[in-house]
Amino acid sequence: MRSTRKRAAVALIAVAALGLAAACGTSKSSDNGGSSEPKLDNKALDSVVNASDQKGGTLKMGLGGAWGDSFDPGDTYYGYSWDLGRNYWRTLVMNKTAPGKQGLELVPDIATDLGKSSDGGKTWTYTIQSGLKFEDGTPFTSKDIAYAVSRTVDRAVLKQGPSYFADLLNWPASYKGPYKSPKNADISSAIETPDDTTIVFHLKQPFAEFDNLASLPATAPVPAAKDTGAKYTTHPVSTGPYMWKGNVDVATGGTLVRNPNWDASTDPNRKALPDQIDVKLGLQADDLDNQIISGDQDVDIAGTGVQPAALPKVLQSKELSARSDNPVIAREWYTQIIGTVKPLDNVDCRKAVIYAMSPTSYQNAYGGKFAGGEIATTVLPPAIPGYKDTDEYGLKANPNGQESKAKDALKKCGQPNGFSTTIGYRSSRDKEKKVAEAFQQSLGKVGIKINIKPMPDDTYTSELCGKPSYLVDNKVGLCVYGWGADWNTGYGYLAQIVDSRTINPEGGSPNFAIRVPEVDKLVDQLAVEPDAAKRAEISTQIDQLVMQNAYIYPGIYAKAVLLRGKDLTNVFLNDAFGYYDYTALGKKQ
Amino acid sequence: MVSYIIRRLLAAIGVVIVISMITFAIFYLIPKLAGATPESMAARYVGKSPNPGQLKAAAESLGFNDPVPVQYWHWLHGLVAGREVNNGTSIDHCPAPCLGYSFRTSQPVLPMIEKRFPVTLSLAVGAAIIWVLMGVTIGVISALKRGSAFDRFAMTLALAGVSLPIFWTGLVSLAFFSYNLGWTPPGASYTPLTENPLKWADALLLPWITLALLFSAQYARLTRAGMLETMGEDYIRTARAKGLPEKTVVLKHGLRSALTPILTIFGLDFGLLIGGAVLTETVFGLPGLGQLAIQSTKNNDLPPVLAVVLITAIFVALCNLVVDLLYAVIDPRVRTR
């Protein structure tokens, strides 16, 4: 009995201690206006926070986990890699280092001006500045850029980067890149370098947005003599204001130090404020948030926002929310409605799905409006030129779904009692699982029975949702998905996800569903239209056509809660990346 | 004794080969049974929206077009005799023991292991010293003071130590000691011992204690149970009756006997830790073998996973062998058998 009383006392003390701890925690963290809606600073979305030209200090950048792909400019496809990489590479042109939408503007970098097109947009010529040097002091020329672009053709060696140059330039039929083709192979049908400061690209088809391709890391010069193929990632030779000190490791990171052979007078785009940038990889994501909160790290390189564990703390603390931003990024989480799977071949059945689904449930599946995103009503997210705030199906006005309209649509499509179909999602993605469950719940209310099918991530696009025959054979009528642009224009965003000609019978296309001949024609127009304003109009038309044909349930425009390091200066979000501009950042001294 | 050691070593090699075959089969055969093609497997390692030509080239360069037994043979051959790999600009010779090249980063695996092994070894050795000292000491005192306040407190603490998951204790200890008090450096601050011993110890102190807390709890309970059993034996009573000092009775006769099962467990635990303390390394951002294993598994990157599995298997086998040999030192009955 004595022992029982003792245990009870101990338990009481433990409960009291926990309660006290919880109370202390609450009082410390809920200092952002009690139960009212959290107010994030958001100043870095369209202006420079802590503007400064003061040089010096060490910028500490961390990443939860290993580097996504490679540090080699010819072998990288991650947005954060393209953003950070501009510290050690320079490309023909680049996105302006400026806040918000200003960052979408392309400005010359190595080149003296933007590209000049001829031959109806099939030929693009760039003149480059003279006297520019690699980190070892060797001058680089247009030939080093041609070499850099040509090596991206060899996807057996450089597997991970985009294949735009390999696909669009008019390479000789037998050309396999500099590693496997003869040393002096004639590639003049694709790239010419008539002199050291001129480079000419020849395309198979006209392409109006070639300047966007010229801003890709693949145009960063690579010295052929120093190219080590697959090993080049360990020390890519710098052309930018910083260079890697020794080697950089995709698992642990490295240190960027000042490049003595970078000439600031040739580069008005980069301030190069810190003396050194420490890139630390392999951190635990929750710990990285804690380090940014405490000031031990300055930036989370991934730029995808704080983890769920730190989110309440950031939203509720005045100090933390005052250094937080909540951008809508150029990415949308959506669900494709597969028109080849019966009865979704009927547009009214597809519309029934859209009406029945609860937009709020979709939003909640991704973590709500701060960490998840805004309810989407279009294919294009707001950051892309051509986005128009339209709402074909009244999704914002009816956040819980529209049962009566859904039932009407079902009657029109000859399925008044509903039907049954399967939804696929990527099994490792908990948010996509929640979306699938939300579809099951919402659509169940109008008689549409949804079977949920988790699918492996790595074959999702290549063999499952991306393979037309699989979808039909397995009656998969819905596929949860998401998309971000390689560059933020209508073509950059839409071309791969709405053009029916990208659908490959063998699988692999991110377009699982959209087959609208008028859309294909508009994509062709988009590719060659030289006027940016007109391209935006065409993008709007494409968006509206896809929505009218009900091939996409738009889900949410992605958002993230980004936390700025305590001592950062010159911070702003560049809409070209959806991250803080990593070339502009400085450190308080 | 020598033939015994040789037999055990040969058995260990057999175990390692079987384990590597199983790992290989899990990686290749299961996707194949699910209908994967060389191109679809290569799709895991190429950028977004690859074209068919890219996939074909990647599948070829990764060797996925060869039958699985041939791929296994290439790996085994590399391990024993080395192999040559085309990295684009040159043909690299990967000397034996060649553990292959990462599918994702195209970098050789052996240097990765060489770089990460000291981190894991530092973590494992430091933590092991703490948990053995702490666990055994607490276990002995608890057994000798059975039912006392110390015993109850220590066993409650041990229960908590075993129950609390390391990702929780790790993150909480980092938040408290590093970010609130500033006593220890933040996560991912590892400095090699050869570079700066003080910083090395400073960065590892919290991971050592966190990891040791988990193990010392188990060891304290084990030691206590073993000691309670041993101290009730007839030969302990005899030792006391002979007038031996209590210290000798406890340490020489009691503890020595109670240590045998602990040594067995220690061999397994330590061997497994050398293969990577996955959670501890992940939470504290330590670039060791455990972190490599978890990152590579996430990325479907077989060669580094295979290398870590191989090292773990080797060390578990080796530690077991050492433990068996130590039995003879601790327990005279083994020697006489």
Side-chain angles (χ1 to χ4, degrees), chain A residues 11-204:
Chain A
L12 207 65
I13 291 166
V15 170
L18 278 173
L20 198 65
C24 290
T26 309
S27 68
K28 198 179 174 187
S29 60
S30 64
D31 55 356
N32 199 5
S35 59
S36 65
E37 184 154 286
K39 283 178 189 153
L40 299 177
D41 186 57
N42 283 334
K43 286 202 179 89
L45 299 187
D46 50 13
S47 62
V48 183
V49 172
N50 299 332
S52 167
D53 283 329
Q54 194 178 18
K55 297 197 178 221
T58 298
L59 180 65
K60 293 179 180 174
M61 305 184 78
L63 182 71
W67 198 249
D69 45 29
S70 167
F71 291 96
D72 181 337
D75 198 24
T76 179
Y77 215 149
Y78 274 71
Y80 61 69
S81 180
W82 292 10
D83 190 358
L84 177 77
R86 295 178 307 151
N87 283 298
Y88 64 90
W89 66 56
R90 294 182 68 179
T91 47
L92 280 171
V93 300
M94 68 185 286
N95 285 92
K96 195 172 178 178
T97 46
K101 285 198 186 302
Q102 294 174 62
L104 296 178
E105 187 190 335
L106 289 170
V107 292
D109 187 5
I110 289 173
T112 55
D113 204 347
L114 296 182
K116 288 183 178 59
S117 75
S118 54
D119 196 14
K122 276 175 78 176
T123 299
W124 287 80
T125 304
Y126 294 85
T127 304
I128 69 168
Q129 301 182 57
S130 50
L132 303 182
K133 292 172 184 170
F134 286 115
E135 66 179 56
D136 61 1
T138 318
F140 64 77
T141 68
S142 56
K143 290 178 179 60
D144 297 298
I145 301 172
Y147 177 77
V149 172
S150 69
R151 67 200 279 275
T152 66
V153 170
D154 193 337
R155 286 292 161 208
V157 177
L158 306 178
K159 295 191 283 287
Q160 302 178 94
S163 55
Y164 290 110
F165 288 107
D167 293 342
L168 299 178
L169 295 185
N170 189 32
W171 301 100
S174 59
Y175 189 66
K176 291 178 176 171
Y179 306 135
K180 295 190 179 79
S181 300
K183 234 183 178 178
N184 294 315
D186 179 15
I187 57 167
S188 59
S189 62
I191 308 177
E192 284 182 283
T193 49
D195 57 56
D196 283 353
T197 56
T198 308
I199 184 163
V200 185
F201 295 95
H202 299 289
L203 284 74
K204 292 178 202 160

Side-chain angles (χ1 to χ4, degrees), chain A residues 155-156 159-160 167 179 227-231 233 249-252 280 282 284 287 291 296 458 463 484 486 496, chain B residues 40 44 46-49 51 54 61 87-89 92 104-107 115-116 174 179 187-188 282 287 291 300:
Chain A
R155 286 292 161 208
K159 295 191 283 287
Q160 302 178 94
D167 293 342
Y179 306 135
D227 183 14
T228 48
K231 290 190 290 188
T233 179
D249 187 318
V250 288
T252 55
K280 194 181 268 189
Q284 203 272 344
D287 184 43
Q291 293 200 27
D296 288 294
D458 52 0
E463 288 170 23
D486 287 350
Q496 291 192 57
Chain B
S40 67
R44 299 165 171 176
V46 297
K48 198 166 66 173
S49 312
N51 61 40
Q54 267 182 299
S61 78
N87 71 47
T89 50
D92 275 1
R104 193 161 288 274
T105 65
S106 306
Q107 302 308 303
K115 198 172 168 188
R116 286 169 176 270
L174 267 174
Y179 310 129
T282 304
Q291 196 193 58
N300 280 309

Side-chain angles (χ1 to χ4, degrees), chain B residues 235-255:
Chain B
Y235 70 89
I236 296 289
R237 204 172 305 127
T238 311
R240 280 187 175 133
K242 274 163 65 182
L244 287 177
E246 187 61 15
K247 194 175 157 190
T248 312
V249 173
V250 170
L251 295 180
K252 196 173 173 189
H253 297 282
L255 183 60

Side-chain angles (χ1 to χ4, degrees), chain B residues 23-104:
Chain B
T23 314
F24 228 83
I26 290 171
F27 185 85
Y28 286 104
L29 289 182
I30 292 176
K32 278 211 164 177
L33 290 174
T37 60
E39 284 77 17
S40 67
M41 287 181 72
R44 299 165 171 176
Y45 313 105
V46 297
K48 198 166 66 173
S49 312
N51 61 40
Q54 267 182 299
L55 286 178
K56 211 174 163 193
E60 181 64 39
S61 78
L62 293 167
F64 292 165
N65 291 329
D66 294 330
V68 176
V70 173
Q71 292 181 53
Y72 181 72
W73 172 249
H74 285 159
W75 178 80
L76 210 58
H77 185 266
L79 199 63
V80 179
R83 61 194 271 204
E84 293 193 328
V85 177
N86 184 348
N87 71 47
T89 50
S90 61
I91 305 287
D92 275 1
H93 178 66
C94 176
C98 179
L99 294 169
Y101 283 67
S102 159
F103 290 159
R104 193 161 288 274

Side-chain angles (χ1 to χ4, degrees), chain A residues 233-244:
Chain A
T233 179
T234 57
H235 190 107
V237 180
S238 168
T239 49
Y242 299 93
M243 59 184 194
W244 291 106

Side-chain angles (χ1 to χ4, degrees), chain A residues 305-587:
Chain A
V306 297
Q307 301 298 309
L311 188 63
K313 204 190 285 184
V314 173
L315 293 179
Q316 289 168 23
S317 153
K318 262 186 188 169
E319 191 265 325
L320 295 178
S321 55
R323 50 185 175 105
S324 298
D325 301 289
N326 192 206
V328 178
I329 50 185
R331 169 174 283 279
E332 186 167 313
W333 300 111
Y334 60 94
T335 293
Q336 304 200 37
I337 307 174
I338 315 298
T340 48
V341 176
K342 288 186 184 301
L344 294 166
D345 53 341
N346 184 314
V347 68
D348 285 308
C349 281
R350 298 199 293 272
K351 285 181 179 173
V353 169
I354 296 178
Y355 283 127
M357 177 61 183
S358 154
T360 308
S361 301
Y362 212 114
Q363 188 180 43
N364 289 339
Y366 275 91
K369 71 178 194 178
F370 288 104
E374 302 283 0
I375 290 173
T377 56
T378 56
V379 181
L380 286 171
I384 307 286
Y387 161 79
K388 202 171 172 187
D389 186 7
T390 53
D391 192 351
E392 177 82 23
Y393 299 96
L395 300 176
K396 274 189 190 160
N398 300 280
N400 298 315
Q402 303 163 72
E403 281 182 44
S404 61
K405 279 195 174 178
K407 283 176 181 167
D408 290 345
L410 282 173
K411 278 179 203 158
K412 275 189 195 168
C413 85
Q415 304 280 344
N417 300 318
F419 55 87
S420 145
T421 193
T422 297
I423 187 166
Y425 73 91
R426 287 170 280 198
S427 55
S428 77
R429 302 189 179 206
D430 191 45
K431 291 170 182 172
E432 292 192 357
K433 183 185 174 202
K434 286 179 182 160
V435 166
E437 288 166 352
F439 265 106
Q440 190 178 49
Q441 205 172 7
S442 296
L443 272 56
K445 291 178 187 169
V446 296
I448 303 174
K449 187 174 174 284
I450 296 287
N451 306 307
I452 296 177
K453 193 174 176 72
M455 299 176 180
D457 290 34
D458 52 0
T459 49
Y460 192 72
T461 310
S462 59
E463 288 170 23
L464 303 168
C465 273
K467 192 167 184 173
S469 58
Y470 176 87
L471 297 173
V472 175
D473 294 347
N474 294 278
K475 296 186 174 61
V476 179
L478 299 167
C479 284
V480 188
Y481 207 55
W483 188 251
D486 287 350
W487 62 88
N488 290 340
T489 66
Y491 186 89
Y493 191 86
L494 293 168
Q496 291 192 57
I497 60 166
V498 301
D499 188 337
S500 71
R501 294 160 298 183
T502 62
I503 298 176
N504 183 349
E506 296 303 313
S509 168
N511 179 8
F512 308 157
I514 302 167
R515 291 178 175 85
V516 186
E518 297 94 312
V519 166
D520 296 350
K521 281 181 201 157
L522 287 169
V523 171
D524 288 342
Q525 285 180 36
L526 198 56
V528 296
E529 173 56 56
D531 182 49
K534 284 186 183 158
R535 287 204 297 271
E537 278 173 28
I538 298 169
S539 303
T540 311
Q541 288 174 44
I542 293 174
D543 189 337
Q544 289 172 348
L545 266 173
V546 174
M547 288 309 299
Q548 283 157 13
N549 282 281
Y551 280 117
I552 275 184
Y553 182 87
I556 54 166
Y557 305 128
K559 287 180 85 173
V561 176
L562 304 179
L563 183 61
R564 309 189 289 260
K566 264 181 181 173
D567 300 322
L568 280 182
T569 64
N570 227 38
V571 197
F572 57 84
L573 198 106
N574 188 323
D575 275 7
F577 299 99
Y579 309 119
Y580 294 126
D581 192 313
Y582 297 156
T583 56
L585 297 173
K587 196 78 185 279

